[in-house]
Amino acid sequence: MTVAPPKNLREIIIMEKNRVLIFDTTLRDGEQAAPASLTVEQKCHIAKQLASLRVDVIEAGFPISSPGDFQAVSKIAEEIKDGPIICGLARLVQKDIEVCADAVKRAQRPRIHTFIGTSAIHTEKKLRKSEDEVLELVKKSVTLARNKCDDVEFSAEDAGRTNIEYLYRIVETAIKAGAKTINIPDTVGYTIPEQFGKIIDNLYKNVPNIDKATISVHCHNDLGMATANSLMAVAHGARQVECTINGIGERAGNASLEEIVMAIKLRQDFFNVSTDIDTTKIMQTSKLVRNICNMPVQPNKAIVGANAFAHSSGIHQDGVLKERNTYEIMTPESVGLKTNSMNLTGRSGRHILKTRLTELGYVETEYDMDAFYTMFKELADRKGTVYDDDLMMLMEKLLGNRDVEHLYTLEYLEVLCGKGEGVATKAKVRIKYSGDAGLLLKGEAQGNGAFDATKRAIDDVLSEGITVKEFHLDAITGGSDAVGKVTIHASTAEEGTFVGTDSNTDIIVASANAYMDIVNKVDMVKRFKRNAAKGGDADSEIVNSNASQFAMMEEYTSG
Ligand code: KIV
Ligand code: ZN
């Protein structure tokens, strides 16, 4: 009788586990790169969408990094049930791990994700520790994390540049100490797919207890290879991929969730694995993240870019009309791109509006329909047809407003601008201060262009010392009555950096309101600081929590 040769460990694992877990780090690695930190409400909103996309793990934040992040992780842990694992990040530091454990403790399935740099450059230059000292820390801290939480993930930061023999020892030690997932990050996006695949292969061959853990990968996109590296790792047996919506993340970003998931789905013939993602929710999630994080997506971005399913050349158009798959490897519908035939206008009622909002993923109990309907009517009267992107923009405005207490509102704006000799650009504003029963402040100024004049007129009455650093304008929909979304990055000497946004069919009104958004945030931080200096409580809990979040008062360094 001939006995079949034993399969190597990797083959067994691949056979048994043909499901790839999707670990979404949009709210942690992605948020680190957003122009401004997200509010607790915004993070919860994204987390709910990620749960409906059916990701396996949501990395909700880095709890020790700021009070806002702690609050967001705790709230997400509490609110997202019957779904993904909720995970928080912690350095291999006792306090980080304790705070993280506290933040995720209310989750149905909590996870602590703890990490330390393992490459020579990280251990010697950043941590100033010997290899043995780092090994000892891994043993001690992973054990501590495991005592606090049953599900612990360990990451060897900069694994891509770590000496492979040392990486074996690190991984073995972390598994012995109780880590159930071992993450291999290409932190600086340095590796080449073939090389990265080999690292995974070698771990399976050389770490004796590797069968007790799931191998995860976390690739950055510095050389544009994050997706390729992650997929190569999957082909070599990695069974968790860490990624973000739209590929947002530190520097050039992380591997993009939509690319990983669609490649696995479309090329089952090659990878022979699957994910649990509901791909029809990809587009909706992408738009939500783009809007909330104020990070536009490049038009030619794979899967979710505006041109990803657009055919330009005559030959391509002819081909697609004859047979779609001549030039389309996936259908737009498979990623949730719908062409909506139902036009919403000022005559549309609440029923159709509610139906549309539900299709876009908004849960009725989480927004105020009356307030939304008023905003919708106001836009429809100005604009005629209201598109899905307009609805999402209005909803972000409505939900976003809950977080920031706007004591100053722009009641009136008049701008004179134009071209030609003798035309001076001027603006007049009237601002209502709701903190002091109906106080009205009037300002006017000349400027170099319509927004500059408007800013100066606002500064004329509220001299907050704000310097505008960046100004972005995007048309959300098409046509000359398109809604323009304005995003302004600004700073003050004392309070730090802020981002303000607004959308309007009138781009000067949008710019003025975006600037007023910043004025209110600066004011909130000033009030918070004043109250803190007096030793008293801040005005209210909401002022306190938001101010601390916007100001990111607790500094940290990650790893
Ligand atoms: O890129 C990285 O190494 C990380 C770790 C914290 C996993 O983000
Ligand atoms: Zn990262």
Side-chain angles (χ1 to χ4, degrees), residues 28-29 89 113 115 155 157 183 185 187 218 220:
R28 200 277 298 166
D29 218 326
L89 185 68
H113 174 195
F115 73 101
S155 281
E157 193 190 12
N183 186 36
T187 303
H218 174 116
H220 280 268

Side-chain angles (χ1 to χ4, degrees), residues 329-342:
I329 57 168
M330 61 195 128
T331 62
E333 292 79 13
S334 66
V335 297
L337 192 65
K338 286 186 207 133
T339 41
N340 181 28
S341 56
M342 199 89 75

